[in-house]
Amino acid sequence: MTATDPTTQPIELGTAAKKLAENQQLLAAFQCFESGGLTFEEIPLPKLPKAQGFALIDSLYSPDERFAQGFYKYKVDILKHPEQLAWQNTLEELEHYKETLKAEYDTDDCVYTVGYYEAGSQEQTPDNYIPVGIYCMRPLATHERGEELVQALTDLNLSDTYAGNNAIVHSFSLLKDFRNLEMLKYIFISIGLKALRMGYQHIFFFMSDYRLKSIYKRYGLTFPADLKFRNSQHTIGCYSLTEDNLAYIVTSLQQLLSPPSA
């Protein structure tokens, strides 16, 4: 998928959006996703047994996973911290995120997990669901740094370009054994469908790992020049519900419905 420019393609209920809205078969086809012989789907984090959810949080925020890598590189490359200090601050940040997610476990309905069911499961229940990733998607206005992002857009004269009902995605990662382009594509389609259903026009991505920009661009994200959190210098990307991005979702869902070739 190629990135699209929201300044030249206004957000509207175009052909692709109407096709998604009208074709329930397409939407139903995306209740699950096949990859590597496993069937993946999403379950909101609070619906998992707490012990299971806490174990996922601990795994994702362990020192050898993507969050740690992103935090560390940001502190060394962007903040110019000495390596020892950067690593110590990374460990502290990992603990902060773990504590926050656990403290808000029962009340935050904007946190989603992606996972698969154990092979041979008689029933598909949270008890035999194996979560392997997480992301948060919430209204921009409710994020603790939402006002800061709105101000950054204002300072760059981008308020009109990104006007509307907007959301933010943050805290996204997959366990290293499941990080691949196919899974990333699945996540972006899922986010796009949520945005369409919830009436969002632009979804901003709060990125701890700036190195992922080139990969995210493949799936429709744009990175407006100098759009970042002013105080921390974190990179901000944006996924807009342009006609091109929605058309890509339609094509992807149609491929899910097509029988495999002999």
Side-chain angles (χ1 to χ4, degrees):
M1 174 167 49
T2 57
T4 55
D5 183 356
T7 62
T8 60
Q9 297 194 17
I11 302 297
E12 60 182 10
L13 193 64
T15 302
K18 290 176 181 177
K19 192 168 187 177
L20 279 171
E22 294 170 358
N23 195 330
Q24 294 303 308
Q25 187 183 21
L26 281 179
L27 299 178
F30 203 66
Q31 296 301 309
C32 58
F33 168 74
E34 301 286 339
S35 177
L38 299 173
T39 300
F40 291 89
E41 66 177 71
E42 287 186 3
I43 293 182
L45 182 65
K47 292 188 178 297
L48 297 182
K50 189 167 290 187
Q52 187 183 34
F54 279 19
L56 173 66
I57 293 168
D58 288 338
S59 295
L60 286 168
Y61 286 94
S62 69
D64 60 345
E65 286 289 347
R66 170 67 74 180
F67 280 128
Q69 296 170 15
F71 294 164
Y72 175 74
K73 290 295 290 181
Y74 160 74
K75 296 176 191 307
V76 170
D77 296 347
I78 305 300
L79 298 184
K80 306 301 182 184
H81 286 174
E83 292 184 1
Q84 185 174 355
L85 175 62
W87 186 243
Q88 182 58 43
N89 288 343
T90 291
L91 295 176
E92 293 173 359
E93 190 165 5
L94 292 172
E95 288 301 314
H96 167 73
Y97 276 98
K98 287 195 291 186
E99 291 171 3
T100 300
L101 281 168
K102 291 176 181 179
E104 299 174 353
Y105 192 90
D106 295 318
T107 58
D108 192 348
D109 60 358
C110 295
V111 187
Y112 303 91
T113 72
V114 57
Y116 63 93
Y117 290 99
E118 293 177 321
S121 299
Q122 294 291 326
E123 295 182 52
Q124 293 185 342
T125 68
D127 290 330
N128 52 42
Y129 173 80
I130 310 297
V132 301
I134 195 173
Y135 69 89
C136 305
M137 179 175 171
R138 64 184 76 250
L140 180 60
T142 67
H143 190 268
E144 61 183 357
R145 303 186 72 176
E147 290 186 9
E148 186 181 350
L149 177 52
V150 170
Q151 185 60 53
L153 292 171
T154 300
D155 293 343
L156 294 171
N157 296 317
L158 293 174
S159 297
D160 290 341
T161 301
Y162 295 100
N165 184 27
N166 298 330
I168 187 167
V169 167
H170 60 97
S171 305
F172 165 53
S173 192
L174 295 158
L175 294 173
K176 56 186 175 183
D177 290 341
F178 297 90
R179 289 201 301 262
N180 56 59
L181 295 180
E182 193 173 27
M183 289 293 291
L184 191 58
K185 176 181 176 180
Y186 165 68
I187 296 295
F188 271 101
I189 292 174
S190 182
I191 288 171
L193 290 176
K194 281 188 180 65
L196 185 63
R197 186 169 63 250
M198 297 176 181
Y200 294 127
Q201 294 170 301
H202 307 282
I203 307 97
F204 293 96
F205 277 65
F206 177 9
M207 300 178 61
S208 298
D209 193 342
Y210 68 92
R211 298 170 298 172
L212 296 176
K213 285 175 62 173
S214 61
I215 295 176
Y216 280 20
K217 285 180 179 179
R218 303 181 192 182
Y219 298 94
L221 254 75
T222 56
F223 292 88
D226 204 35
L227 180 59
K228 58 185 68 176
F229 285 128
R230 290 294 180 258
N231 293 335
S232 66
Q233 298 297 298
H234 280 100
T235 298
I236 302 295
C238 186
Y239 180 80
S240 299
L241 292 194
T242 61
E243 182 69 6
D244 281 356
N245 283 343
L246 289 172
Y248 177 82
I249 292 176
V250 170
T251 300
S252 299
L253 293 177
Q254 288 173 330
Q255 290 172 351
L256 287 176
L257 287 175
S258 300
S261 55

